[in-house]
Amino acid sequence: STAVARLPLVASGVAGAKQIDTLRRMLEHPEVQRRVPVLLTHHPLTNPKSPLAVRMRGLTDAREILALFQEFPQALALHGHEHHREHEVLASTRGGQVHRIGATSASLVHRDRDRMAGYNLYKIIAGKGLVETTARVWDPVAKEFILGRVPLVA
């Protein structure tokens, strides 16, 4: 959990030393080492560029958590918080990739398709990692979820 109580209009988060240490020990387990780890957090593992934005809505210890995942050849870090559908590919220290993927609210009706209510689907293959990401996006006219996209962050 990265969500913590804050003053009004402040939405920054923190995992804290205890949770990071527990995560580190879990990731060191031999069974986990053979797999593609998937982490679900409220806040993304990459922060805004502005120090003020990090203090207002970022994740204080994002670098520490991301560094743990970058030790895997393939890893997946899923989050909400920004309510924006996006996919960022980060390099791992073992020549692979850490996929950071943001999801929208499942119920927010929004004019921006990348913020519209929906959910993401992931196809993960052992030894290859994430091979496909698709979105199901709410169509308010058809009143159903339709095929959408998860845009890559440049």
Side-chain angles (χ1 to χ4, degrees):
S1 175
T2 61
V4 292
R6 298 286 192 205
L7 294 172
L9 305 178
V10 177
S12 59
V14 62
K18 185 176 178 181
Q19 286 192 112
I20 292 173
D21 185 56
T22 301
L23 177 61
R24 179 182 293 106
R25 286 186 280 123
M26 290 170 51
L27 292 173
E28 289 171 349
H29 191 282
E31 196 59 38
V32 175
Q33 289 284 317
R34 288 190 284 274
R35 300 178 186 272
V36 176
V38 178
L39 177 69
L40 303 161
T41 58
H42 179 78
H43 294 81
L45 295 188
T46 55
N47 276 320
K49 292 187 184 347
S50 157
L52 177 60
V54 173
R55 286 194 296 277
M56 295 300 291
R57 68 177 199 277
L59 178 58
T60 304
D61 38 22
R63 285 186 195 154
E64 293 91 332
I65 300 168
L66 180 58
L68 294 175
F69 273 73
Q70 287 177 311
E71 294 179 14
F72 283 81
Q74 294 290 324
L76 186 57
L78 308 176
H79 67 87
H81 187 58
E82 300 290 339
H83 301 272
H84 190 265
R85 192 175 296 105
E86 63 184 7
H87 181 173
E88 182 178 15
V89 181
L90 306 160
S92 84
T93 58
R94 295 177 54 190
Q97 299 172 324
V98 176
H99 297 270
R100 181 193 60 81
I101 302 176
T104 63
S105 164
S107 60
L108 176 67
V109 175
H110 199 281
R111 68 181 179 279
D112 181 345
R113 298 294 292 167
D114 294 334
R115 296 181 83 77
M116 178 61 85
Y119 57 93
N120 299 336
L121 301 168
Y122 311 98
K123 183 176 181 179
I124 300 170
I125 297 178
K128 292 185 178 181
L130 181 70
V131 295
E132 184 179 25
T133 303
T134 57
R136 302 292 293 172
V137 180
W138 180 249
D139 182 327
V141 175
K143 297 194 183 311
E144 65 182 358
F145 289 95
I146 61 170
L147 186 63
R149 66 188 187 98
V150 181
L152 279 171
V153 175

